[in-house]
Amino acid sequence: MERGGVMVGWRLQIRHRTGFRYGGPVASSYNEARMSPSSEARQTVLDDRVSVWPGARTYRYQDYWGTTVTSFDVQVAHEVLEVIADSTVETSRPAALPTGGPSWAELADPDDVDRWQELLLPTPRTALDEELGALAVELRAAYGPDEAALAVFDLVRREVEYTPGATGVMTDAVHVWRQKQGVCQDISHLSVALLRSMGLPARYVSGYLHPTPDAPLGKAVTGQSHAWVEWWTGEWHAYDPTNGVPIGERHVVVGRGRDYGDVPPLKGVYAGPSNTGQSVEVTLTRIR
């Protein structure tokens, strides 16, 4: 089925449950949740609700990068904080991979460089060392912009093994490259770092991924928060370097930024004892 020139893929129901357990009563907490999918050209949000326990009044807004944020504060003593985001989203089939885009010289236009400056600069998680910087130079010299981006994704996927638990949220691209292990967040950070070093505006994308390409209807499965990459060569293109596939019907966008630090699902500050860990549970159901 086609809608607005885009081939509609799946309809997905998503439940994302997360929160903290503390070592004792917390007097108050102030929090931000980035767990709501965005409505855009390649996906349509049909329903979206975020609930909080203990009960709190929520306020929604879009942050600097366009991600929907649900903010709330809890002013009663609590030892557990739980946030549940329920959504229904229609997604699209994968778009064709880009070919024949602008040249490196065209992408160096000062107006474009100024426009995307924040997405060309390294962050602590996406800075490169000399070895990786030299690798970016080699790739840029060997390919045109879009071909170089795809070469980056292929290289990173070959060299870095997907290994749950091998890294943490503060792990940077150099560390991932040296240990050759990481998760989707790390693979995306390394890819973004190489793209930016070559002069391609690149952004980190946070969302959800249904794990089963041929998912049956009505079956709830354990999914995951996921991360992938977008790069700009006159328009934005998207790719999942962890799985080596274009973004398609299994992917649901939540937010974008320079790196993970711009799009954490839940963050905040509180007054009280240390937390004893964060729980995360994502359930996805294909309903069409």
Side-chain angles (χ1 to χ4, degrees), residues 109-131:
D109 179 272
D111 288 340
D112 289 332
V113 173
D114 181 66
R115 179 185 181 188
W116 303 117
Q117 184 68 13
E118 291 174 294
L119 297 173
L120 286 164
L121 295 174
T123 67
R125 290 183 176 91
T126 61
L128 301 184
D129 61 4
E130 290 186 8
E131 177 190 356

Side-chain angles (χ1 to χ4, degrees), residues 179-208:
Q179 74 171 18
K180 306 297 185 184
Q181 292 181 320
V183 294
C184 60
Q185 171 185 302
D186 307 303
I187 292 169
S188 296
H189 280 151
L190 178 56
S191 299
V192 163
L194 289 165
L195 294 174
R196 290 176 183 163
S197 184
M198 290 191 298
L200 290 176
R203 55 194 184 190
Y204 177 99
V205 187
S206 175
Y208 304 110

Side-chain angles (χ1 to χ4, degrees), residues 35 47 70 96 102 129 147 182 192 209 216 219 229 260 278:
M35 298 161 61
D47 183 49
T70 301
D129 61 4
E147 292 76 15
V192 163
L209 172 69
K219 182 179 180 180
V229 176
Y260 173 84
Q278 182 176 10

Side-chain angles (χ1 to χ4, degrees), residues 9-12 210 214-219 284-288:
W10 292 2
R11 180 175 293 179
L12 289 166
H210 195 295
D214 55 349
L217 298 180
K219 182 179 180 180
L284 299 103
T285 307
R286 181 186 177 190
I287 59 174
R288 195 187 66 191

